[in-house]
DNA sequence: AATCTGAATTAGAATAATTCTAAATGTTAT
DNA sequence: ATAACATTTAGAATTATTCTAATTCAGATT
């Protein structure tokens, strides 16, 4: 039987008992209750690219004592340990993204939602000249435009 | 004599009398004294990708009565009329960029400075799959790494 | 098991960037 | 000159985030 093609779409792991903690531990972080909740919420809502605030509200339903400061602390720790990325497409609340596969972000200028476009930047062919002396460690691609749902609404008018 | 190669590096226009105003007018904006000062300052400091605050400080030397709110108003107007772009590489003060040629931004993670890398994104070859139904109007490429000056300091240690 | 130690969490205060508000001023069309 | 509208202004308000200091927690050590 042939091998299945490499998966290019990010699928967040199920939040089975221990899976989230294991990932946190693998990243070299102590899996505290709060970190598990925060990371778990983020994995569950990866598509929405939630803000700290949105994560806080959701986390509270699982752990009512959690504080906003802790959500920020946990997110910072997750970012430092490469489990999560910050997304800044506009000057608005930072959004968080647990998809660490290389991908581009798309911001719908009509509804403000953010989408992941899978793929990988090819520095050689991307069309930009990196002057000598510069070391590029990360390339981020952000697109803007109109998502299918908003395009439809536009037509209806 | 052969033609000189097309210039790919953004050269801000000199701030000769009227040039800045003419650009503002061409963009469909009334060239008020404040707008001229704000746009002029930004053109003079294009390399630095200044924040509203930095523009305000500099604008004050030319027009002491100008207020912060006006700097924001002017910048908003310039952005709306496609004379200026906002740059958001991190959650920090918005930076402004009067280089409307297509280019990438590079953020030095050591010193925090932002640089322009000339070139143009080639959506076809850039390596990302745009799902059908999405309309992309703008593609922005941001790189991170170490600039030559900071790389040198690193070595010295 | 009790104790120590450093890490993590907490509530609330502080900060920073930006937006809002309402009044004053300036500009353009009549 | 006047009306109508746009722009500017100072300062208040808002928002996201960071800071602070006290408390709690987890794991290691007695």
């Amino acid at each position: 039987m042939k091998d299945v093609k490499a998966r290019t779409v990010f699928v967040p792991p199920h939040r089975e008992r221990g899976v989230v903690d294991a990932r946190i531990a693998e990243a070299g972080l102590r899996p505290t209750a709060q970190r598990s909740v925060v990371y778990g919420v983020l994995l569950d809502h990866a598509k929405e690219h939630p803000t700290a605030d949105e994560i806080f509200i959701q986390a509270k339903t699982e752990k009512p004592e959690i504080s906003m400061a802790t959500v920020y602390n946990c997110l910072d720790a997750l970012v430092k340990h490469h489990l999560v990325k910050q997304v800044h497409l506009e000057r608005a609340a930072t959004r968080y993204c647990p998809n660490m596969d290389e991908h581009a972000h798309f911001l719908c200028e009509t509804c403000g939602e953010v989408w992941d476009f899978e793929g990988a930047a090819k520095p050689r062919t991307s069309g930009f000249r990196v002057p000598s002396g510069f070391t590029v460690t990360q390339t981020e691609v952000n697109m803007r435009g109109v998502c299918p749902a908003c395009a439809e609404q536009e037509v209806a008018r």
Side-chain angles (χ1 to χ4, degrees), chain A residues 9-142:
Chain A
V9 177
F10 174 68
V11 178
H14 286 282
R15 281 180 67 188
E16 281 144 18
R17 182 160 166 47
V19 174
V20 171
D21 284 6
R23 286 193 156 222
I24 294 172
E26 275 162 32
L29 265 183
R30 179 142 64 84
T32 66
Q34 289 83 345
R35 284 172 186 163
S36 298
V37 170
V38 166
Y39 189 37
V41 165
L42 186 48
L43 288 167
D44 282 351
H45 294 84
K47 288 247 179 68
E48 291 100 312
H49 298 80
T51 60
D53 207 71
E54 290 161 353
I55 293 167
F56 175 57
I57 288 164
Q58 189 57 35
K60 266 205 137 158
T61 69
E62 294 182 33
K63 202 160 203 313
E65 336 84 86
I66 202 169
S67 76
M68 192 71 223
T70 297
V71 171
Y72 275 108
N73 286 343
C74 291
L75 289 169
D76 286 356
L78 295 169
V79 167
K80 282 216 187 80
H81 287 74
H82 306 106
L83 288 171
V84 166
K85 266 195 289 199
Q86 293 190 326
V87 180
H88 301 286
L89 301 181
E90 345 162 61
R91 200 192 140 87
T94 302
R95 291 167 173 281
Y96 293 86
C97 176
N99 176 358
M100 298 302 283
D101 296 348
E102 206 178 344
H103 64 282
H105 285 122
F106 174 90
L107 171 71
C108 175
E109 292 191 302
T110 305
C111 66
E113 271 192 60
V114 176
W115 313 70
D116 283 354
F117 286 179
E118 302 300 326
K122 296 178 194 149
R124 273 291 124 63
T125 56
S126 70
F128 293 97
R129 218 167 340 100
V130 176
S132 72
F134 285 86
T135 311
V136 176
T137 56
Q138 199 202 119
T139 303
E140 159 189 314
V141 176
N142 301 321

